[in-house]
Amino acid sequence: MNAGPSVLALIVCATLAGCVSGEPPATLPEAKPCGIEFGDPVVLGDGGPAAFVSEPAIAFLPDGRIAVAANWVPAHLLPILLAGQVASVATAQLPTGEVEPGGQNGVWLGDGTSFTALHDELGRLSTDGHQGNQDADIATTSDGGLHVALFGPAGVEVLSSRDDGETWTPSGILSEPDVDRQWIAAEGQTIWVSWRNTMESGIGFARSLDAGRTWERDLELASETFSHGPLTRANSTLLLPTQDSGDELQVTWSMDDGQTWKKRGTGMTIADIPGFVVPTTHDNGTLRLVWTDVSSGSAAVWSSLGSLDGAWSGSAAVTPHGMNALFPWPVLRPDGSVAVFYYSSTEGGDPRNGERVWDIGFSLLCEGAAQWVHGTVAKAVHHGAMCIDGTDCPLYHPRDNNDRSVGEVFEAGVAPDGRVWVTWTATTQAEPRSYHIVVAGSKA
C-alpha cells in the first residue's frame, strides 16, 4: 500500500477557485475560514491474501481513545469460515448460543498512534454467545463501555465490554434469524440497534437503557420499509434514511428514544445507489444527506439539505466533475464545517470496470460557504474496479471487474477533542493482494 499524508492548508472556502457549488441555506452566516490536514495512516490489521477484511466502523470513548471494528476473517481463518457457512446452510440456522467457526469481528482500541487488537488469534472477541461474523458496527457509552453489534445465521447480537475488551458480555439474540446490515448508536447509557429484515420488508429494532446490561427485544422500527443507511443519534433525535416500494428517499426518525417513529419523504427520487445514504445533523436542526449517484456513467457524491418538518433543498454535487467517488461518509466538525469522505479516483467512466487507482478523498464545506473544496487523506489505497452493488458481486471478483475488496462502506467520526478520524479498507497493488484495515486522524 502506498498511503501518505496530504495537506489542505488554511483555506477561505468562499473564495477558492475551481470548487464545486454546494447548497448552503440562505440563513447561514458569512463564510468562515476552515481547513483540515491529515497525519500518516496507521495499519491496524493485515488480513493477508484472500481474506474477508472490510467495512470498518469507528467510535470514541469518553477519554478520547479510538475504537475501530471491522469484518475480520484473516486468510488463515477463511477455510474455517467457509466450512461454517456450508454447515449453517445445511442446518438452515445454528442454534441460539452456538459459536460459529472462522472469525468474528475485529476490534482495535488505541490513542491514534498505537492500537491494540482486542480479538484473539481465532478472530474472536469472546467464545461466549452467538458470535456473528458478518457486518460490524461499534458504539460507546458514557461509562466507557464498548458495544459491538454483530450478526450471523441466528440473528443480531451485541457484545459489551466495560474493561477495554478484556471480557465481553453477550446480549443474547435480539432479532429474527434472517437479517442484514445492522447498525448501532448510543448516547449516555442508552443503546439502540437496528437491522434489515430480509425475509419480509421492514426494519427491526432493539434498545438497552442500562448500557447493554438488559435489552428490550421484539421492537419494530418500521414495516414495509427498506433501511437505506445508518442509524444515527444527534440533537436528541434518532434518524435513519429509508425507502418504501417506490424510489423516493425518506427519513424515519424518533424523538422519544425509539418509543415511536415518524416517516416523511424528501421529494428526491433515488435508484441504484451504491452503498448507503448517510445523514448528519447540524446544531440548528438542519439535516444533510449524502450518497453516491451513478446515473451519469461515473460515480459522484451528492448532497441535500432539509429538515424533519420543512422543505428539502434538492440535491447538488459535492465532488469535482469527472471524478469517480464512492461510499461517502459525512462528519460535522466543531467549527461548523462539513467534511465528506469517499473513495476517489481521478479517472472517470464506469467505476465497475478498469484498472483505476483509488484514494481516500474528501470534500470540505466551511460554515457559510457556497463552494466545496477538495483534498486527500491517503493515496493509492486500492487498485482496480469497484463493486457498486454487493448482491451482484462475488467477494473475489477480478480486480478490473466489479471488485468487491473494500466492501460498501467505511466510516469517519469526530473525537472528543475535535479531531477527525477516518478508517477504511486498503488493498495492496501486488498480487495476490493483501487486505488492510487502516485509520488516519487530522492534525490538531
Side-chain angles (χ1 to χ4, degrees), residues 341-357:
F341 299 90
Y342 41 79
Y343 284 96
S344 64
S345 174
T346 57
E347 301 168 73
D350 190 340
R352 293 168 290 190
N353 299 292
E355 280 285 349
R356 290 172 179 79
V357 178

Side-chain angles (χ1 to χ4, degrees), residues 24-42:
T27 57
L28 282 180
E30 183 179 351
K32 299 178 181 179
C34 71
I36 191 169
E37 178 184 349
F38 283 88
D40 293 333
V42 178

Side-chain angles (χ1 to χ4, degrees), residues 9 15-16 29 46 57 61 108 190 235 266 292 320 416:
T15 60
L16 185 66
D46 180 353
L61 286 170
W108 297 263
T190 304
N235 298 334
T266 64
T292 296

Side-chain angles (χ1 to χ4, degrees), residues 176-192:
E176 295 298 317
D178 296 301
V179 300
D180 188 23
R181 191 60 258 192
Q182 83 294 358
W183 302 100
I184 188 169
E187 183 176 85
Q189 297 286 291
T190 304
I191 308 171
W192 304 271

Side-chain angles (χ1 to χ4, degrees), residues 322-347:
M323 170 187 283
N324 260 303
L326 282 164
F327 313 135
W329 196 278
V331 298
L332 178 66
R333 301 171 68 208
D335 64 4
S337 63
V338 177
V340 181
F341 299 90
Y342 41 79
Y343 284 96
S344 64
S345 174
T346 57
E347 301 168 73

Side-chain angles (χ1 to χ4, degrees), residues 68-69 100 116 155 158 185 201 256 265 271 288 295 299 301 306 331 385 406 421 430 444:
V68 173
E100 295 150 38
T116 299
V158 173
S201 63
D256 56 12
R288 182 185 301 276
S295 60
V301 174
V331 298
V406 302
W421 291 86

